Each structure stands twice: as structure tokens, then as C-alpha cells.
């Protein structure tokens, strides 16, 4: 973190932030800001040209290589394992030059794959068969629909009525910040973004900081391939997400809520912006909300394609217009976050849960789940399931029930499940019966629940190619701040690529040493977490991988 750059960025404030201005310049210049635009912004924000150029080169949709891209193909893990993207590539190449084809990871269409993005909209399923009609500007079905089921409908229960929102918000404002924060702490809810940090402790830390300005940031940069639960909440339950941010603002004394939403989720951006306009029209946000004296406003910021922005400090750097690199801690964001002000960063699912807690009480929420993992969890099921989509289950639910009862089992033979995103564990199917959906069960068995996204690895998909894909992703998405991650992920990818494509043998001792260096020496969970799935694969798929490791 550069404190000077943070301070300079704060001069313009949130409404005219440098990150958005660079994004607008990229759109105006066919995909990447022109040098004169970068120089103008550097002059306006009193920073160097090297800072603006260095920042835009970190994002898929602003870097110079993005110039002239017209169509984007999903290259996420779920689409890879579904085997749909070769056909997409072949069809797209019939209509576009190679230089006009870009890639996105991922589009949140993991339940049906065949995903691509064209002119600000996502398409999946059989939409690719109508590409010629799409190019002629004829109406084409975007698909993207999926099933939603819930044994315990907390997050999935209907909450789309502004009148109901108003009544619950009035009750919350009457309760006051102390009572609301107590309920959040009593609920014992832990963050659903992967780390599992208690939300009440985070909010209390921000509340205790003395500052004239504080921020609540909704981390909606759901970049884990295979995960689309945040997309579901943003598009289908936006009032729950916004309500949770308002409660966070009341509890901490913050007056601004920032939603940092993936560029890969254009429909989510549109839905949330429309919902905010609806709340503003009903005077449920803004100045003196419902005569309480409390002021709270929202700002939607469209991300520009960087997986590392899922890490809270990299996300804060991004909004300030700096490179999205991880900050060292302390100070923690609750002490010095956005523009060096106290900031709470929670992911979408965590914030959305606050509505039910306010409505029913912290004790009722704490009665659900296990001793250390309270409440419910959304699970994303990819297209290899017979019933793909979103399921909501009580924490502690047997994974076997999720897979075979709620998900309906698999429509083709599967040998492993990659659960929790790229940094999550690779679970062989024979271990399914040993796991329950909670943090402790997964950790005890050497896995990671994380976002609870499930990508099925088919029996006929080579594990060496899956590991190569993972480390290619890790190397591409590394922020580059620390050497272990920047160099280690690249070296691991080179070794695995040579094994997968050139029949070269990986030195097992050297590879394990590399994994140890990544885990122990990386600054954040990106480099520190990627060894987990590799170790799982080497442990449970010995016979298959021994062909490639000596």
C-alpha cells in the first residue's frame, strides 16, 4: 500500500474515483485507456504516469492486450471439465479474427456451461448455436436459468418487496446500533468468503475506530470458477444484500456502502443499480432515513477482471486506482481501509444473512448449524449434476445428502470434486461420505469449504491436465507483489505443462519443495492456498499421477 497514493486518491472521493475513470477511458478507447487519457488522469489525481499505466496493466479488461476484443469465451474450471468450450472456440473463430477473441474466468454459468460474453451480455447453454443470429442483431435467448432449492430457506426466502424492506429497516433503526451489533455477535455468523472470520468482531472493530468517515464494502468480485451463489443473491435477492450493508452502516457508523461487482456479471450490475434507484425513490437511502438522522448512500463500482480483487486489501487498492496488490497487515482495513478510513469488507452471502438475523434474532440463527459453523450455506452445483444450480443447507449437513439427494447425483462418471474454488480441496468421490458442509469438517479432512462451489472432475479427465489448468490460472491471476507467488505459480505451471503435453517427468521432491515455499512464503491466500488442491491430488490419485512424477 502507498499511503501517499491513498491520500491523493481520497481528494476526489468515492463519487469520482480513479478506478472508474480509468474504466471509462478504456471503454472510450476500444478496450484500454489511451496514453493521453492516462496522462490526463495522472495529472488530475496528482500521481505519476507510471502509476496509472501500472494500474491498468493488472486488469483483464483494461490492459493493452484487451484492445479490440469483441467477444469473450469462458475458460473456467467448470466449463473446462464440461468439455463444451472447444465447440465454442470453433464456432467463434468462424466469425471473428483470433485477435478479437478474449477470455473471461468465469461467467457464473457453471450450471450449464458453453459460456461466452458478447457486447455486455452473457450467454450459455445452446445460445452458441444462434451466434450467427446474434451477430445480425436478432434476439437470442441468453439462457442462464438454474434451479434453487433449500432445506432451510434463510438466504433463499423471498425478500423482494420494498414495503417489507421499509418495515424491517424502520424496526432496525428503532433498535439502534448497540442492539443490532449484539444480535450479529450472538448469531456467531462467520464470513462466507472463505476465511470464516466472525462478522460481529469485524463490525465491532470498525465501530470502535474514531473517524469522520467510514465505509462498508460488499466484495462481489466472485471470481472462483464454479461459484455462482453471489450472482444468485445479487440478481435474485438484491434487497437482502443492500439491507445487510445498511445494517452494517448502522452498527459501525459508516455512511457509504460500496458494491464492487464483477464485470463478468453484467446482469448483476444492472439489477443492483435498478434496486438502488428504487430505494432512493422511496427515500429509504440517502439523508435522514425514515427520520432517524441516519444517512447512508450506495455506490456501485464495476470491476475490470482481476481474481486477486477477491482479497479485501487488493480490492481496496483497486478502488483507489492503485495496482490491485495485497497489503501487509496490520493495519487491518477496519483501522485503515479505503482512503485510509475504517472499512468493513464482507462478501455478498455474509451481508445477505444479516437480514434474517435482524428479522428473527441472533439466537435463532445460532441454533442452526454446528458449534463453530452457525447458520446456513449456499452451495453451487455445476452442470455435471443431474440437478445443477443453487442449494441452501444448514451448516453440518452431510455432503452426501447435498451430492446425491439435492443434486441428484452425477450424469456421467466423476472421480473427484473440486470444492471451494481454485484454492479449495480436491475431494475424491470416496471421501464424500466423510464430510459435512461446515468449516471444521473440511479442515479436519485436509480440504477447504471456501465458497462451497462444487466443480465435478470427470473420470476420463486427466488429473495432470486439471492441475496444469489450476496453476496456469494461479500464475495468470497472481498480483505479483511477493516473489513466492509470482515466480512459484509460474514455475509450477511450467513443470505441469511439460508433463501434460511433452511427456516430461516432474521431479516430485522439487515440486513438493515448491509447494512448501508457496504455502509458507506467500503474502496472501492466493499463493498460500494453491498448494492444497495439488497436495490432495498427489495424495488421492497416486496411481494416475505417478506416471508424471518421479
Amino acid at each position: 500500500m502507498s499511503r501517499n497514493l491513498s491520500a491523493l486518491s481520497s481528494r476526489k472521493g468515492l463519487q469520482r474515483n480513479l478506478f472508474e475513470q480509468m474504466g471509462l477511458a478504456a471503454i472510450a478507447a476500444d478496450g484500454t485507456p489511451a496514453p493521453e487519457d492516462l496522462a490526463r488522469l495522472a495529472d488530475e489525481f496528482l500521481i505519476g504516469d507510471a502509476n496509472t499505466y501500472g494500474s491498468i496493466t493488472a486488469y483483464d479488461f483494461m490492459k493493452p492486450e484487451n484492445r479490440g476484443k469483441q467477444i469473450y469465451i469462458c475458460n473456467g474450471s467448470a466449463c473446462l471439465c464440461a468439455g463444451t468450450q472447444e465447440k465454442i472456440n470453433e464456432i467463434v473463430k468462424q466469425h471473428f479474427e483470433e485477435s478479437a477473441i478474449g477470455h473471461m474466468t468465469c461467467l457464473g454459468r457453471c450450471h450449464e456451461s458453453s459460456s461466452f460474453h458478447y457486447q455486455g451480455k452473457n450467454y450459455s447453454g445452446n445460445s452458441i448455436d444462434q451466434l450467427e443470429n446474434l451477430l445480425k442483431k436478432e434476439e437470442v435467448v441468453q439462457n442462464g436459468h438454474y434451479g434453487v432449492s433449500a432445506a432451510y430457506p434463510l438466504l433463499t426466502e423471498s425478500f423482494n418487496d420494498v414495503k417489507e424492506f421499509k418495515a424491517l429497516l424502520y424496526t432496525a433503526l428503532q433498535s439502534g446500533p448497540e442492539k443490532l451489533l449484539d444480535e450479529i455477535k450472538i448469531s456467531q455468523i462467520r464470513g462466507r468468503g472463505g476465511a470464516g472470520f466472525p462478522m460481529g468482531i469485524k463490525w465491532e472493530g470498525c465501530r470502535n475506530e474514531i473517524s469522520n468517515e467510514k465505509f462498508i464494502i460488499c466484495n462481489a468480485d466472485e471470481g472462483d470458477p464454479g461459484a455462482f451463489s453471489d450472482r444468485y443473491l445479487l440478481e435474485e435477492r438484491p434487497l437482502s444484500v443492500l439491507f445487510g450493508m445498511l445494517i452494517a452502516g448502522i452498527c459501525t457508523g459508516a455512511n457509504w456502502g460500496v458494491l464492487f461487482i464483477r464485470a463478468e456479471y453484467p446482469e448483476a450490475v444492472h439489477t443492483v443499480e435498478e434496486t438502488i434507484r428504487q430505494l432512493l425513490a422511496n427515500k429509504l437511502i440517502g439523508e435522514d432515513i425514515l427520520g432517524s438522522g441516519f444517512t447512508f448512500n450506495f455506490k456501485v463500482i464495476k470491476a475490470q477482471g482481476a481474481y486477486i480483487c477477491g482479497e479485501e486489501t487488493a480490492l481496496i487498492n483497486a478502488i483507489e486506482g492503485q495496482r490491485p496488490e495485497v497489503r501487509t497487515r496490520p493495519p487491518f482495513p477496519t483501522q485503515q481501509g479505503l482512503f485510509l478510513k475504517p472499512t468493513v469488507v464482507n462478501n455478498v452471502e455474509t451481508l445477505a444473512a444479516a437480514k434474517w438475523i435482524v428479522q428473527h434474532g441472533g439466537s435463532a440463527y445460532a441454533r442452526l448449524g454446528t458449534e463453530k459453523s452457525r447458520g446456513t450455506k449456499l452451495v453451487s452445483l455445476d452442470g455435471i449434476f443431474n440437478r445443477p444450480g443453487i442449494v441452501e443447507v444448514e451448516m453440518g449437513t452431510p455432503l452426501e445428502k447435498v451430492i446425491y439427494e439435492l443434486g441428484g447425483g452425477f450424469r456421467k462418471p466423476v472421480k473427484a470434486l473440486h470444492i471451494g474454488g481454485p484454492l479449495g480441496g480436491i475431494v475424491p468421490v470416496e471421501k464424500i461420505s466423510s464430510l459435512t458442509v461446515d468449516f471444521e469438517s473440511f479442515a479436519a479432512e485436509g480440504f477447504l469449504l471456501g465458497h462451497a462451489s462444487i466443480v465435478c472432475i470427470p473420470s476420463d479427465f486427466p488429473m495432470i491436465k486439471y492441475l496444469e489448468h489450476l496453476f496456469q490460472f494461479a500464475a495468470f491471476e497472481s498480483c505479483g507483489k511477493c516473489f513466492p507467488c509470482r515466480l512459484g505459480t509460474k514455475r509450477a505451471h511450467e513443470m505441469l505443462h511439460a508433463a501434460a503435453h511433452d511427456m516430461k517427468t516432474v521431479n516430485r521432491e522439487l515440486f513438493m519443495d515448491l509447494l512448501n515455499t508457496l504455502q509458507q512464503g506467500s503474502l496472501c491466500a492466493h499463493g498460500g492456498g494453491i498448494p492444497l488442491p495439488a497436495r490432495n491430488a498427489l495424495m488421492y490419485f497416486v496411481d494416475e499421477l505417478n506416471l508424471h512424477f518421479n
Side-chain angles (χ1 to χ4, degrees), residues 493-542:
H493 173 242
E494 290 171 349
M495 295 164 76
L496 293 167
H497 178 83
H501 299 277
D502 303 327
M503 298 303 291
K504 292 187 177 179
T505 307
V506 177
N507 184 310
R508 183 183 293 269
E509 184 179 355
L510 181 62
F511 189 76
M512 296 305 292
D513 184 61
L514 179 56
L515 295 184
N516 285 331
T517 302
L518 275 164
Q519 184 177 357
Q520 297 178 34
S522 296
L523 187 58
C524 80
H526 183 73
I530 196 65
L532 176 65
R535 287 199 174 100
N536 292 154
L538 287 166
M539 176 183 293
Y540 294 109
F541 297 92
V542 177

Side-chain angles (χ1 to χ4, degrees), residues 14 27 59 114 119 148 188 215 219 230 266 269 282 285 313 363 391 405 408 431 452 464 532:
L14 189 60
I27 294 171
Y59 300 96
S114 298
Q119 291 191 340
V148 179
Q188 299 180 55
F215 298 96
N219 182 350
D230 287 359
V269 173
N282 284 274
I285 54 175
T313 62
S363 297
V391 297
E405 186 178 325
K431 294 289 289 183
I464 190 70
L532 176 65

Side-chain angles (χ1 to χ4, degrees), residues 63-312:
K63 62 177 61 174
E65 296 95 312
N66 190 56
R67 186 181 300 280
K69 300 297 183 195
Q70 298 174 36
I71 190 168
Y72 296 86
I73 299 172
C74 181
N75 62 353
S77 307
C79 281
L80 175 76
C81 289
T84 59
Q85 301 313 89
E86 284 188 19
K87 174 186 174 182
I88 301 289
N89 272 290
E90 289 174 7
I91 295 176
V92 167
K93 285 178 181 177
Q94 294 172 15
H95 300 277
F96 293 89
E97 296 291 332
E98 188 82 39
S99 60
I101 304 171
H103 296 277
M104 284 185 168
T105 312
C106 79
L107 301 181
R109 303 295 186 98
C110 317
H111 57 288
E112 61 185 5
S113 302
S114 298
S115 309
F116 65 99
H117 177 99
Y118 180 66
Q119 291 191 340
K121 292 183 178 180
N122 289 340
Y123 299 86
S124 52
N126 63 1
S127 296
I128 189 63
D129 297 327
Q130 305 171 65
L131 181 59
E132 197 164 333
N133 293 337
L134 185 62
L135 300 180
K136 294 176 183 176
K137 302 190 184 304
E138 296 178 7
E139 191 171 341
V140 170
V141 177
Q142 288 181 253
N143 293 315
H145 300 293
Y146 47 84
V148 179
S149 60
Y152 289 86
L154 277 66
L155 293 159
T156 52
E157 73 174 354
S158 178
F159 187 62
N160 297 318
D161 187 342
V162 173
K163 290 183 179 179
E164 186 183 355
F165 182 100
K166 180 178 180 179
L168 192 56
L169 179 58
Y170 181 79
T171 301
L173 289 166
Q174 293 297 108
S175 297
E178 292 84 2
K179 178 69 168 62
L180 289 172
L181 184 56
D182 281 345
E183 292 298 329
I184 296 296
K185 291 166 67 177
I186 290 169
S187 74
Q188 299 180 55
I189 182 174
R190 295 170 60 181
R192 299 315 199 224
F197 190 81
M199 184 163 75
I201 294 176
K202 183 179 284 190
W203 288 14
E204 186 174 47
C206 184
R207 175 177 172 78
N208 291 338
E209 293 294 321
I210 299 173
S211 176
N212 63 340
E213 193 171 28
K214 298 179 182 181
F215 298 96
I216 306 298
I217 296 179
C218 175
N219 182 350
D221 199 44
E222 182 182 52
D224 288 347
F228 51 100
S229 53
D230 287 359
R231 177 196 156 210
Y232 160 73
L233 290 169
L234 292 167
E235 293 178 7
E236 304 295 335
R237 297 291 182 269
L239 283 178
S240 294
V241 180
L242 297 175
F243 186 86
M245 295 180 73
L246 272 163
I247 296 302
I250 295 169
C251 289
T252 60
N255 298 122
W256 271 104
V258 184
L259 295 107
F260 191 84
I261 305 177
R262 309 183 70 215
E264 295 89 340
Y265 287 178
E267 293 86 2
V269 173
H270 173 75
T271 299
V272 171
E273 288 179 335
E274 283 297 312
T275 307
I276 290 172
R277 279 192 279 271
Q278 192 178 14
L279 293 179
L280 193 58
N282 284 274
K283 299 182 179 179
L284 297 177
I285 54 175
E287 302 288 328
D288 189 25
I289 301 171
L290 298 177
S292 65
F294 176 61
T295 295
F296 197 86
N297 291 289
F298 287 103
K299 173 71 175 177
V300 175
I301 295 179
K302 183 179 174 181
Q304 293 292 341
Y307 177 72
I308 197 63
C309 285
E311 199 282 335
E312 60 180 7

